[in-house]
Amino acid sequence: MTAHEHRVDGWITPHLARRRAGVKHPVEDFLFTYYSYRPAQLRRWHPGAGVALAEAGDLGPDYRATPDGTTVDVEAFLARRGRSVAWIRDLLAATASRPAHLGCFGLHEWAMVYRQSQDQVRHNAWPLRLSPAETAAVVEERGVRCSHFDAFRFFTAPARPLNLLQPTRETQRDNEQPGCLHANMDLYKWAYKLSPLASSELVADCFALARDIRALDMRASPYDLADLGYPPVRIETAEGRAEYAAAQRAFAGRAEPLRARLVALTEAVLGGSVRPVPGQVDGRYAQSCST
């Protein structure tokens, strides 16, 4: 428990300090502003499904008492959110079944500022590396190959017809693929939506991956964030595209075991194979499913 709090405090404390000071950071604050999980929720420790904590006391409505200790109430969680758990399982399993495609080169961020002025862009406190006309020319020359709906929905209206796909929420399971930066960043979202079934360790592991991905996402974007310590990945050049694809491949490799852990967890709870294993309240515990 203490180790988890110490780990996430390294991410949370600077964010909260910036928030109090009214200072925005387009990389470090993104996971706290785009996603709905609050810092206090990320900091709270959960052992995950299949763990019974001795002498844990009342841990809230998501838990129940057993002769072995307090454990996550899987049946009650599924009664409320079983369809959501199944939807997450199906999405992640479908994504894992596909080969990774690495040819998008981060142009989704360019499509989000396509044909906009500096004043109109989302992060207008930071300059664009190229002029609006030059930025638009990169999009038009390279084309956009974005499969992720939650990235596509932020495209400017003129950029949407330029995308190879027209993803929708309804086709999300058919389109997502394991090389996509945003699909891998979203593992954090699916992990916290499964909390407290998912252990806080798993949620934090997904957060750490998403945080690193966001750095690449913005380094490859049209924004100039060098003054913040993020040198650009110049995807408008052949060298930059090669650098981006190599980093994208590495992130897909890091995401694979996390996605597998989430799929295993959802299958275990939906299949009724999670059984409480006695543990200890200080965070040293065993689990009966591979989460």
Side-chain angles (χ1 to χ4, degrees), residues 3-14:
H4 169 73
E5 292 174 351
H6 180 75
R7 181 186 188 189
V8 301
D9 280 348
W11 304 320
I12 291 172
T13 302

Side-chain angles (χ1 to χ4, degrees), residues 93-205:
T95 303
S97 72
R98 301 186 178 103
H101 297 290
L102 306 174
C104 70
F105 304 121
L107 279 158
H108 55 275
E109 287 289 340
W110 296 65
M112 294 177 192
V113 304
Y114 179 72
R115 295 296 178 187
Q116 288 186 332
S117 68
Q118 175 67 47
D119 290 338
Q120 291 174 311
V121 300
R122 185 178 185 185
H123 302 292
N124 57 21
W126 288 272
L128 299 177
R129 294 192 291 105
L130 305 177
S131 71
E134 291 169 325
T135 300
V138 172
V139 175
E140 291 161 2
E141 177 185 354
R142 301 303 311 176
V144 192
R145 298 172 179 81
C146 181
S147 59
H148 195 268
F149 171 68
D150 283 314
F152 176 74
R153 67 190 178 96
F154 288 104
F155 285 18
T156 65
R160 289 175 186 166
L162 303 179
N163 196 36
L164 182 65
L165 298 172
Q166 297 293 299
T168 65
R169 184 68 71 201
E170 290 71 28
T171 61
Q172 185 172 3
R173 189 172 65 185
D174 300 323
N175 287 332
E176 290 203 5
Q177 53 90 11
C180 172
L181 290 192
H182 279 263
N184 292 330
M185 196 182 304
D186 276 351
L187 293 176
Y188 168 58
K189 174 171 66 174
W190 306 129
Y192 74 67
K193 284 184 177 293
L194 291 169
S195 181
L197 299 179
S199 69
S200 292
E201 178 189 12
L202 178 52
V203 175
D205 286 347

